[in-house]
Amino acid sequence: MKIALVGYGRMGHEIEEIALKRGHSVDLIIDMENISDLNAEKLKGIEAVIEFSSPDAAFNNIKACLENEGSGCFRYNRLAQRL
């Protein structure tokens, strides 16, 4: 599975290590320094996004992912429209 990690602190590093050991790839890592990379172009082909940023940033990060539904990483946009 192609994974994007949003938030790359201690937990992000742990998730990356586990994912790689299980045969997944981490194709995108988003942190404070590259938050602008959370866009449709970079999310293209990503199958799962794991969000481990701060509580203050999480809502906007998830919203950015859902707004980029055309990237192919989110198949559940209908659920998001209900929220």
XYZ file of all heavy atoms in Angstrom:
645
model
N 0.846 -1.171 0.000
C 0.000 0.000 0.000
C 0.893 1.236 0.000
O 1.895 1.285 0.706
C -0.879 -0.018 1.248
C -1.793 1.159 1.334
S -2.835 1.173 2.828
C -3.554 -0.429 2.809
N 0.499 2.234 -0.758
C 1.222 3.507 -0.801
C 0.628 4.435 0.255
O -0.545 4.769 0.210
C 1.095 4.143 -2.176
C 1.817 3.390 -3.256
C 1.635 4.105 -4.577
C 2.708 3.679 -5.533
N 2.739 4.523 -6.713
N 1.476 4.845 1.191
C 1.021 5.605 2.354
C 1.614 7.008 2.344
O 2.765 7.201 1.963
C 1.442 4.882 3.647
C 0.769 3.504 3.713
C 1.120 5.705 4.888
C 1.273 2.634 4.840
N 0.818 7.963 2.809
C 1.298 9.312 3.113
C 1.214 9.486 4.622
O 0.205 9.130 5.232
C 0.462 10.373 2.416
N 2.270 9.998 5.205
C 2.274 10.317 6.627
C 2.182 11.828 6.785
O 2.963 12.566 6.202
C 3.568 9.836 7.282
C 3.802 8.336 7.331
C 5.168 8.043 7.933
C 2.715 7.643 8.119
N 1.226 12.261 7.578
C 1.079 13.683 7.869
C 1.403 13.856 9.346
O 0.670 13.376 10.210
C -0.339 14.187 7.548
C -0.461 15.673 7.870
C -0.695 13.918 6.091
N 2.530 14.508 9.605
C 3.068 14.599 10.950
C 4.194 13.586 11.059
O 3.984 12.392 10.892
N 5.399 14.064 11.266
C 6.557 13.167 11.228
C 7.397 13.306 12.480
O 8.601 13.408 12.444
C 7.369 13.448 9.956
C 8.308 12.337 9.570
C 7.853 11.046 9.400
C 9.651 12.590 9.377
C 8.709 10.030 9.042
C 10.525 11.587 9.014
C 10.043 10.299 8.852
O 10.903 9.291 8.500
N 6.696 13.283 13.603
C 7.385 13.266 14.890
C 7.671 11.826 15.288
O 7.836 10.943 14.440
N 7.699 11.597 16.573
C 8.010 10.256 17.072
C 7.041 9.197 16.534
O 7.455 8.131 16.076
C 7.999 10.266 18.598
C 8.460 8.951 19.199
C 8.507 9.016 20.689
N 7.146 9.297 21.160
C 6.840 9.658 22.388
N 7.778 9.821 23.270
N 5.594 9.880 22.732
N 5.746 9.475 16.587
C 4.762 8.497 16.108
C 4.843 8.311 14.596
O 4.702 7.199 14.089
C 3.341 8.909 16.516
C 3.074 8.719 17.991
S 3.352 7.027 18.585
C 2.166 6.116 17.628
N 5.059 9.386 13.863
C 5.208 9.276 12.413
C 6.376 8.380 12.036
O 6.275 7.548 11.127
N 7.476 8.532 12.753
C 8.651 7.680 12.513
C 8.340 6.215 12.828
O 8.753 5.309 12.098
C 9.846 8.157 13.342
C 10.530 9.351 12.766
N 10.097 10.643 12.989
C 11.613 9.444 11.968
C 10.899 11.483 12.362
N 11.828 10.780 11.726
N 7.622 5.984 13.916
C 7.253 4.611 14.293
C 6.338 3.977 13.244
O 6.537 2.825 12.868
C 6.569 4.590 15.668
C 7.484 4.907 16.816
C 8.539 3.838 17.060
O 8.249 2.642 16.878
O 9.670 4.212 17.435
N 5.354 4.734 12.801
C 4.433 4.220 11.771
C 5.194 3.907 10.489
O 4.954 2.886 9.844
C 3.290 5.224 11.504
C 2.402 5.362 12.739
C 2.478 4.824 10.282
C 1.668 4.110 13.139
N 6.116 4.776 10.116
C 6.914 4.524 8.914
C 7.690 3.212 9.041
O 7.691 2.382 8.121
C 7.883 5.670 8.666
C 8.771 5.438 7.453
C 9.816 6.518 7.269
O 10.315 7.068 8.276
O 10.150 6.798 6.110
N 8.319 3.017 10.164
C 9.110 1.799 10.373
C 8.229 0.548 10.279
O 8.587 -0.433 9.617
C 9.791 1.865 11.740
C 10.710 0.704 12.020
C 11.396 0.822 13.367
O 11.695 1.951 13.806
O 11.634 -0.240 13.972
N 7.084 0.576 10.917
C 6.166 -0.568 10.888
C 5.656 -0.805 9.471
O 5.606 -1.947 8.998
C 4.995 -0.338 11.866
C 5.513 -0.365 13.313
C 3.899 -1.370 11.661
C 4.524 0.163 14.330
N 5.259 0.264 8.791
C 4.729 0.135 7.432
C 5.766 -0.494 6.499
O 5.446 -1.397 5.717
C 4.291 1.496 6.896
N 6.990 -0.033 6.579
C 8.046 -0.562 5.715
C 8.324 -2.035 6.024
O 8.510 -2.836 5.103
C 9.314 0.275 5.846
C 9.203 1.724 5.354
C 10.483 2.491 5.669
C 8.877 1.778 3.865
N 8.323 -2.393 7.299
C 8.536 -3.793 7.682
C 7.440 -4.701 7.147
O 7.675 -5.870 6.881
C 8.603 -3.925 9.201
C 9.916 -3.474 9.792
C 9.916 -3.663 11.299
C 11.208 -3.164 11.908
N 11.198 -3.258 13.378
N 6.239 -4.149 6.981
C 5.101 -4.942 6.511
C 4.944 -4.896 4.992
O 3.948 -5.354 4.456
C 3.821 -4.472 7.186
C 3.845 -4.772 8.673
C 2.546 -4.458 9.321
N 2.611 -4.799 10.745
C 1.581 -4.758 11.552
N 0.396 -4.389 11.098
N 1.716 -5.065 12.816
N 5.928 -4.312 4.322
C 5.925 -4.321 2.867
C 5.202 -3.167 2.197
O 4.994 -3.180 0.989
N 4.809 -2.165 2.960
C 4.156 -0.988 2.394
C 5.222 0.040 2.032
O 6.367 -0.056 2.462
C 3.167 -0.397 3.395
C 2.144 -1.374 3.862
N 1.158 -1.871 3.044
C 1.976 -1.971 5.066
C 0.409 -2.719 3.726
N 0.889 -2.801 4.956
N 4.836 1.027 1.266
C 5.766 2.110 0.956
C 5.212 3.421 1.517
O 4.009 3.636 1.543
C 5.993 2.236 -0.554
O 4.803 2.602 -1.213
N 6.119 4.258 1.986
C 5.743 5.591 2.459
C 6.208 6.551 1.380
O 7.386 6.870 1.283
C 6.368 5.897 3.838
C 6.012 7.312 4.268
C 5.902 4.881 4.872
N 5.268 6.968 0.541
C 5.597 7.759 -0.644
C 5.541 9.265 -0.421
O 5.996 10.022 -1.265
C 4.661 7.382 -1.786
C 4.895 5.958 -2.265
O 5.597 5.196 -1.580
O 4.388 5.602 -3.336
N 4.957 9.676 0.708
C 4.845 11.108 0.984
C 4.904 11.311 2.488
O 4.204 10.634 3.236
C 3.524 11.662 0.432
C 3.245 13.145 0.637
C 4.281 14.020 -0.045
C 1.845 13.494 0.131
N 5.765 12.219 2.907
C 5.856 12.596 4.319
C 5.642 14.099 4.402
O 6.345 14.877 3.757
C 7.220 12.208 4.915
C 7.382 10.683 4.915
C 7.354 12.784 6.327
C 8.744 10.204 5.341
N 4.635 14.480 5.170
C 4.289 15.891 5.345
C 4.595 16.282 6.784
O 4.200 15.604 7.726
C 2.788 16.134 5.063
C 2.407 15.718 3.641
C 2.412 17.580 5.348
C 3.024 16.553 2.549
N 5.306 17.389 6.933
C 5.602 17.946 8.243
C 5.474 19.468 8.150
O 5.124 19.996 7.091
C 7.009 17.531 8.681
C 7.140 17.422 10.194
O 6.192 17.799 10.911
O 8.192 16.974 10.655
N 5.786 20.162 9.200
C 5.625 21.616 9.214
C 6.389 22.298 8.090
O 5.941 23.310 7.560
C 6.078 22.189 10.556
C 5.159 21.830 11.694
S 5.673 22.571 13.260
C 7.127 21.599 13.623
N 7.527 21.749 7.713
C 8.378 22.393 6.708
C 7.840 22.266 5.281
O 8.244 23.023 4.398
C 9.797 21.807 6.756
C 10.557 22.128 8.027
C 10.176 21.208 9.180
O 9.752 20.066 8.931
O 10.295 21.655 10.332
N 6.956 21.306 5.027
C 6.475 21.106 3.656
C 4.965 20.925 3.581
O 4.464 20.186 2.733
C 7.195 19.914 3.002
C 6.803 18.586 3.606
O 6.423 18.508 4.765
N 6.906 17.540 2.819
N 4.234 21.600 4.438
C 2.773 21.455 4.476
C 2.128 21.786 3.134
O 1.084 21.246 2.791
C 2.163 22.293 5.626
C 0.718 21.899 5.878
C 2.288 23.774 5.362
C 0.550 20.528 6.450
N 2.770 22.618 2.334
C 2.202 22.960 1.018
C 2.227 21.762 0.063
O 1.550 21.780 -0.960
C 2.961 24.136 0.400
O 4.312 23.782 0.168
N 2.970 20.716 0.398
C 2.980 19.504 -0.425
C 1.735 18.652 -0.236
O 1.569 17.632 -0.901
C 4.215 18.654 -0.121
C 5.482 19.242 -0.703
O 5.399 20.170 -1.527
O 6.582 18.769 -0.328
N 0.862 19.040 0.665
C -0.387 18.322 0.880
C -1.389 18.790 -0.172
O -2.290 19.573 0.087
C -0.901 18.574 2.299
C -1.996 17.659 2.822
C -1.593 16.199 2.709
C -2.292 18.006 4.268
N -1.180 18.334 -1.403
C -1.975 18.777 -2.545
C -2.249 17.604 -3.479
O -1.682 16.521 -3.319
C -1.275 19.926 -3.279
C 0.084 19.521 -3.803
O 0.238 18.525 -4.515
N 1.107 20.295 -3.464
N -3.118 17.822 -4.450
C -3.543 16.748 -5.357
C -2.383 16.126 -6.108
O -2.331 14.902 -6.282
C -4.593 17.277 -6.337
N -1.444 16.929 -6.545
C -0.305 16.394 -7.303
C 0.504 15.413 -6.459
O 0.837 14.319 -6.914
C 0.594 17.536 -7.776
C 1.807 17.059 -8.550
C 2.748 18.191 -8.921
O 2.339 19.372 -8.869
O 3.902 17.894 -9.253
N 0.806 15.782 -5.241
C 1.622 14.934 -4.368
C 0.838 13.733 -3.836
O 1.405 12.693 -3.540
C 2.167 15.740 -3.190
C 3.074 16.867 -3.590
C 4.433 16.368 -3.993
C 5.344 17.557 -4.248
N 6.707 17.177 -4.516
N -0.495 13.886 -3.697
C -1.318 12.798 -3.188
C -1.703 11.779 -4.268
O -2.238 10.722 -3.942
C -2.589 13.358 -2.546
C -2.398 14.070 -1.210
C -3.661 14.821 -0.831
C -1.998 13.089 -0.125
N -1.398 12.086 -5.502
C -1.768 11.182 -6.592
C -1.149 9.801 -6.366
O 0.052 9.675 -6.162
C -1.308 11.750 -7.934
C -1.833 10.975 -9.108
C -1.532 11.669 -10.412
C -2.185 10.890 -11.538
N -2.043 11.571 -12.804
N -1.986 8.795 -6.388
C -1.537 7.423 -6.219
C -1.450 6.949 -4.780
O -1.252 5.773 -4.519
N -1.603 7.871 -3.840
C -1.563 7.493 -2.424
C -2.847 6.740 -2.087
O -3.941 7.156 -2.447
C -1.421 8.745 -1.522
C -0.094 9.457 -1.795
C -1.585 8.376 -0.047
C 1.143 8.670 -1.406
N -2.700 5.630 -1.395
C -3.854 4.796 -1.057
C -4.360 5.018 0.365
O -5.510 4.710 0.669
C -3.494 3.325 -1.247
C -3.156 3.019 -2.698
C -2.572 1.642 -2.880
O -1.474 1.385 -2.362
O -3.236 0.824 -3.537
N -3.510 5.532 1.240
C -3.912 5.793 2.627
C -3.107 6.960 3.168
O -1.923 7.086 2.873
C -3.677 4.564 3.489
N -3.771 7.789 3.945
C -3.099 8.895 4.632
C -3.260 8.662 6.127
O -4.363 8.442 6.613
C -3.705 10.261 4.248
C -3.041 11.379 5.027
C -3.588 10.495 2.753
N -2.140 8.687 6.833
C -2.162 8.532 8.280
C -1.775 9.876 8.882
O -0.712 10.407 8.602
C -1.199 7.419 8.733
C -1.592 6.098 8.076
C -1.204 7.312 10.260
C -0.633 4.956 8.327
N -2.669 10.423 9.696
C -2.525 11.773 10.239
C -2.055 11.715 11.683
O -2.772 11.250 12.549
C -3.886 12.473 10.142
C -3.888 13.943 9.879
C -3.211 14.818 10.913
O -3.064 14.433 12.071
O -2.823 15.931 10.541
N -0.830 12.180 11.931
C -0.265 12.210 13.279
C 0.318 13.571 13.598
O 1.327 13.679 14.286
C 0.831 11.143 13.431
C 0.327 9.849 13.976
C 0.169 8.767 13.146
C 0.009 9.718 15.315
C -0.294 7.560 13.639
C -0.459 8.525 15.823
C -0.612 7.439 14.977
N -0.302 14.628 13.120
C 0.195 15.968 13.421
C -0.385 16.429 14.755
O -0.950 15.643 15.507
C -0.194 16.943 12.298
O -1.591 17.159 12.302
N -0.290 17.692 15.025
C -0.835 18.244 16.274
C -2.348 18.407 16.161
O -2.890 18.543 15.060
C -0.194 19.601 16.556
O -0.640 20.549 15.609
N -3.042 18.415 17.295
C -4.492 18.610 17.258
C -4.907 19.911 16.556
O -5.939 19.951 15.886
C -4.891 18.634 18.736
C -3.827 17.840 19.421
C -2.565 18.143 18.650
N -4.094 20.942 16.681
C -4.422 22.216 16.046
C -4.369 22.136 14.522
O -5.080 22.860 13.841
C -3.461 23.313 16.513
C -3.657 23.670 17.977
O -4.752 23.412 18.515
O -2.715 24.211 18.573
N -3.520 21.283 13.994
C -3.334 21.183 12.545
C -4.161 20.072 11.901
O -4.409 20.102 10.700
C -1.864 20.960 12.230
N -4.585 19.097 12.686
C -5.218 17.890 12.136
C -6.445 18.197 11.272
O -6.578 17.656 10.170
C -5.585 16.932 13.259
N -7.342 19.048 11.752
C -8.567 19.331 10.997
C -8.239 19.872 9.609
O -8.772 19.389 8.609
C -9.463 20.321 11.746
C -10.700 20.669 10.975
C -11.796 19.824 10.989
C -10.760 21.829 10.213
C -12.943 20.127 10.248
C -11.886 22.143 9.477
C -12.997 21.292 9.497
N -7.363 20.864 9.529
C -7.020 21.449 8.229
C -6.289 20.451 7.331
O -6.476 20.454 6.112
C -6.187 22.714 8.405
C -7.030 23.864 8.891
O -8.224 23.945 8.613
N -6.430 24.758 9.644
N -5.472 19.585 7.916
C -4.785 18.574 7.117
C -5.761 17.569 6.523
O -5.679 17.219 5.345
C -3.739 17.842 7.971
C -2.607 18.739 8.388
O -2.339 19.764 7.775
N -1.922 18.347 9.448
N -6.692 17.109 7.337
C -7.696 16.163 6.847
C -8.579 16.831 5.800
O -8.897 16.248 4.766
C -8.526 15.606 8.015
C -7.617 14.757 8.910
C -9.717 14.809 7.515
C -8.214 14.402 10.249
N -8.950 18.062 6.050
C -9.759 18.810 5.088
C -9.027 18.939 3.753
O -9.618 18.749 2.690
C -10.081 20.199 5.654
C -10.972 21.026 4.776
C -11.267 22.374 5.432
C -12.057 23.223 4.475
N -11.885 24.627 4.707
N -7.742 19.237 3.786
C -6.956 19.358 2.552
C -6.946 18.048 1.788
O -7.071 18.030 0.556
C -5.529 19.796 2.869
N -6.823 16.940 2.495
C -6.851 15.640 1.821
C -8.202 15.382 1.181
O -8.287 14.950 0.027
C -6.536 14.526 2.811
S -4.829 14.484 3.347
N -9.269 15.649 1.903
C -10.614 15.413 1.370
C -10.925 16.328 0.190
O -11.615 15.925 -0.741
C -11.658 15.577 2.472
C -11.607 14.521 3.568
C -12.552 14.882 4.707
C -11.910 13.147 3.010
N -10.413 17.531 0.206
C -10.635 18.462 -0.905
C -9.884 18.022 -2.158
O -10.206 18.467 -3.255
C -10.216 19.869 -0.505
C -11.163 20.504 0.487
C -10.677 21.836 1.027
O -9.507 22.200 0.819
O -11.492 22.512 1.678
N -8.907 17.162 -1.996
C -8.128 16.671 -3.129
C -8.553 15.265 -3.521
O -7.732 14.423 -3.848
C -6.630 16.711 -2.789
C -6.119 18.124 -2.762
O -6.075 18.785 -3.781
N -5.755 18.600 -1.584
N -9.855 15.030 -3.486
C -10.392 13.705 -3.788
C -9.976 13.198 -5.163
O -9.864 12.006 -5.371
C -11.907 13.712 -3.698
C -12.547 14.572 -4.785
C -14.042 14.472 -4.784
O -14.558 13.382 -5.049
O -14.674 15.487 -4.510
N -9.730 14.074 -6.094
C -9.338 13.664 -7.439
C -7.981 13.005 -7.487
O -7.608 12.404 -8.484
N -7.253 13.080 -6.391
C -5.921 12.482 -6.355
C -5.994 10.971 -6.346
O -5.026 10.300 -6.630
C -5.168 12.962 -5.120
O -5.808 12.480 -3.958
N -7.145 10.414 -6.019
C -7.288 8.969 -5.989
C -7.059 8.362 -4.623
O -7.298 7.188 -4.422
N -6.613 9.140 -3.645
C -6.323 8.546 -2.339
C -7.561 8.440 -1.467
O -7.566 7.672 -0.529
C -5.204 9.289 -1.623
S -5.651 10.910 -1.023
N -8.598 9.171 -1.770
C -9.805 9.086 -0.962
C -10.974 8.619 -1.800
O -11.358 9.260 -2.755
C -10.129 10.438 -0.307
C -9.255 10.724 0.855
C -8.110 11.475 0.705
C -9.554 10.192 2.091
C -7.283 11.715 1.778
C -8.731 10.428 3.172
C -7.594 11.197 3.005
N -11.489 7.500 -1.399
C -12.642 6.934 -2.090
C -13.924 7.175 -1.301
O -14.975 6.743 -1.688
C -12.419 5.444 -2.297
C -11.238 5.166 -3.173
C -11.080 3.680 -3.396
N -9.864 3.446 -4.154
C -8.705 3.072 -3.627
N -8.614 2.870 -2.336
N -7.647 2.881 -4.369
N -13.813 7.836 -0.162
C -14.940 7.988 0.734
C -15.415 9.428 0.831
O -15.883 9.861 1.868
C -14.570 7.452 2.120
C -14.107 6.032 2.053
C -12.767 5.718 2.202
C -14.997 5.011 1.799
C -12.322 4.409 2.118
C -14.566 3.699 1.705
C -13.233 3.407 1.872
O -12.800 2.119 1.788
N -15.328 10.166 -0.247
C -15.697 11.569 -0.208
C -17.183 11.753 0.107
O -17.564 12.753 0.676
C -15.333 12.268 -1.508
C -15.429 13.770 -1.362
O -14.955 14.328 -0.392
N -16.054 14.412 -2.307
N -18.025 10.810 -0.238
C -19.442 10.945 0.076
C -19.653 11.047 1.580
O -20.501 11.779 2.046
C -20.223 9.769 -0.499
C -20.321 9.825 -1.997
C -21.243 8.765 -2.534
N -21.177 8.806 -3.984
C -21.134 7.751 -4.751
N -21.169 6.548 -4.218
N -21.097 7.873 -6.047
N -18.878 10.293 2.349
C -18.953 10.392 3.794
C -18.552 11.783 4.245
O -19.204 12.396 5.079
C -18.056 9.345 4.451
C -17.941 9.415 5.967
C -19.305 9.184 6.620
C -16.948 8.403 6.466
N -17.482 12.312 3.667
C -16.997 13.641 4.038
C -18.046 14.703 3.744
O -18.167 15.680 4.481
C -15.701 13.948 3.292
N -18.803 14.541 2.675
C -19.827 15.529 2.331
C -20.934 15.579 3.357
O -21.607 16.571 3.508
C -20.392 15.233 0.939
C -19.387 15.491 -0.176
C -19.892 15.029 -1.517
O -20.906 14.357 -1.631
N -19.160 15.398 -2.559
N -21.134 14.493 4.075
C -22.168 14.454 5.107
C -21.737 15.141 6.393
O -22.548 15.481 7.232
C -22.530 13.004 5.434
C -23.195 12.306 4.304
C -23.583 10.921 4.737
N -23.779 10.098 3.554
C -23.733 8.785 3.542
N -23.456 8.140 4.655
N -23.923 8.121 2.454
N -20.421 15.298 6.585
C -19.916 15.859 7.846
C -20.130 17.343 7.945
O -20.181 18.083 7.098
C -18.428 15.542 8.003
C -18.110 14.065 8.097
C -16.604 13.856 8.190
C -18.777 13.447 9.321
